[in-house]
Amino acid sequence: TQLLEQSPQFLSIQEGENLTVYCNSSSVFSSLQWYRQEPGEGPVLLVTVVTGGEVKKLKRLTFQFGDARKDSSLHITAAQTGDTGLYLCAGIRPTGNQFYFGTGTSLTVIP
Amino acid sequence: EAGVAQSPRYKIIEKRQSVAFWCNPISGHATLYWYQQILGQGPKLLIQFQNNGVVDDSQLPKDRFSAERLKGVDSTLKIQPAKLEDSAVYLCASSLEGQMGWGYTFGSGTRLTVV
């Protein structure tokens, strides 16, 4: 069982549409990150959130950390073909120093 | 700054052969990680080093996998003997000591195919 579950697992949308990816856990995290990974490359850090309820915006991407710091969401407005990739959430627990990655969401934006 | 360097980018071997991967982290990053990523899934931590000491290797299949980080800089990950299920991308990442809560920097990975 994965500590961080992402949904949906796969998402295929038309260019210009909006979408939301969810990252859920029953455990509390002291911080959470979102990464995007393109084929043949390593994941690239998009954002880090550390405060419950925190909202961060990165151009067309909006990230939210749940009030209880157990979940997070990534919302993309007006998706572009360049947004295609594997989106990963990852978090670190308050105790211990291990990073946990989510199950991943594969996004395809169709022109 | 230079990123995390990994080599080789691709490797194809037969089962029961051995293979080694190399990683050079970002200069000054004390913490180094090796991850295994099956296609379409999230990375799974294999081993975490702090300088040249092992912090966590609980998910490393020690009967066939080994890793070292001599002198606290470069690291190598070895598989001997390889199995078909070892086919995956092996990612190396690094972070500043005490800063992993702010995210890692990953290398491009080594794609291993075991046939």
Side-chain angles (χ1 to χ4, degrees):
Chain A
T1 302
Q2 293 275 98
L3 202 60
L4 284 165
E5 293 283 345
Q6 288 184 237
S7 62
Q9 185 178 359
F10 299 98
L11 189 55
S12 182
I13 62 170
Q14 292 290 135
E15 196 169 25
E17 291 184 343
N18 302 332
L19 67 112
T20 302
V21 176
Y22 299 93
C23 174
N24 295 300
S25 178
S26 57
S27 302
V28 174
F29 289 86
S30 55
S31 70
L32 200 140
Q33 293 82 42
W34 283 92
Y35 293 80
R36 183 174 74 209
Q37 184 177 23
E38 298 185 14
E41 298 297 330
V44 174
L45 179 66
L46 297 174
V47 77
T48 299
V49 286
V50 295
T51 306
E54 182 177 2
V55 177
K56 280 192 174 180
K57 290 194 173 184
L58 191 68
K59 297 183 180 178
R60 294 177 295 102
L61 278 59
T62 302
F63 305 85
Q64 184 163 6
F65 200 11
D67 291 341
R69 292 185 293 139
K70 293 182 178 181
D71 54 83
S72 181
S73 64
L74 158 61
H75 182 79
I76 301 179
T77 304
Q80 299 175 358
T81 55
D83 296 327
T84 293
L86 180 68
Y87 287 81
L88 296 160
C89 64
I92 187 165
R93 298 291 313 283
T95 55
N97 57 8
Q98 187 181 110
F99 235 66
Y100 296 89
F101 273 89
T103 49
T105 294
S106 180
L107 171 65
T108 302
V109 181
I110 303 166
Chain B
E1 66 180 359
V4 176
Q6 288 189 248
S7 67
R9 285 298 307 269
Y10 305 93
K11 191 74 177 179
I12 301 174
I13 62 172
E14 294 183 348
K15 58 184 178 182
R16 291 187 289 274
Q17 285 188 325
S18 63
V19 64
F21 313 128
W22 173 83
C23 172
N24 182 250
I26 291 174
S27 178
H29 280 196
T31 311
L32 184 148
Y33 316 80
W34 282 102
Y35 281 88
Q36 179 192 59
Q37 187 177 26
I38 305 295
L39 185 64
Q41 297 180 14
K44 169 191 159 186
L45 179 68
L46 293 175
I47 189 166
Q48 176 183 340
F49 291 95
Q50 184 77 11
N51 296 307
N52 60 350
V54 176
V55 173
D56 183 354
D57 64 355
S58 57
Q59 298 192 81
L60 186 73
K62 298 181 185 65
D63 57 333
R64 299 184 299 107
F65 287 64
S66 64
E68 60 181 12
R69 191 184 183 196
L70 300 176
K71 301 180 182 178
V73 181
D74 293 8
S75 177
T76 56
L77 176 69
K78 296 179 182 178
I79 307 175
Q80 182 179 10
K83 293 185 176 181
L84 295 176
E85 58 261 36
D86 298 332
S87 293
V89 175
Y90 290 84
L91 294 163
C92 179
S94 68
S95 69
L96 287 167
E97 185 173 357
Q99 295 296 317
M100 56 188 164
W102 294 95
Y104 302 164
T105 301
F106 281 88
S108 297
T110 295
R111 180 176 296 278
L112 173 67
T113 303
V114 183
V115 298

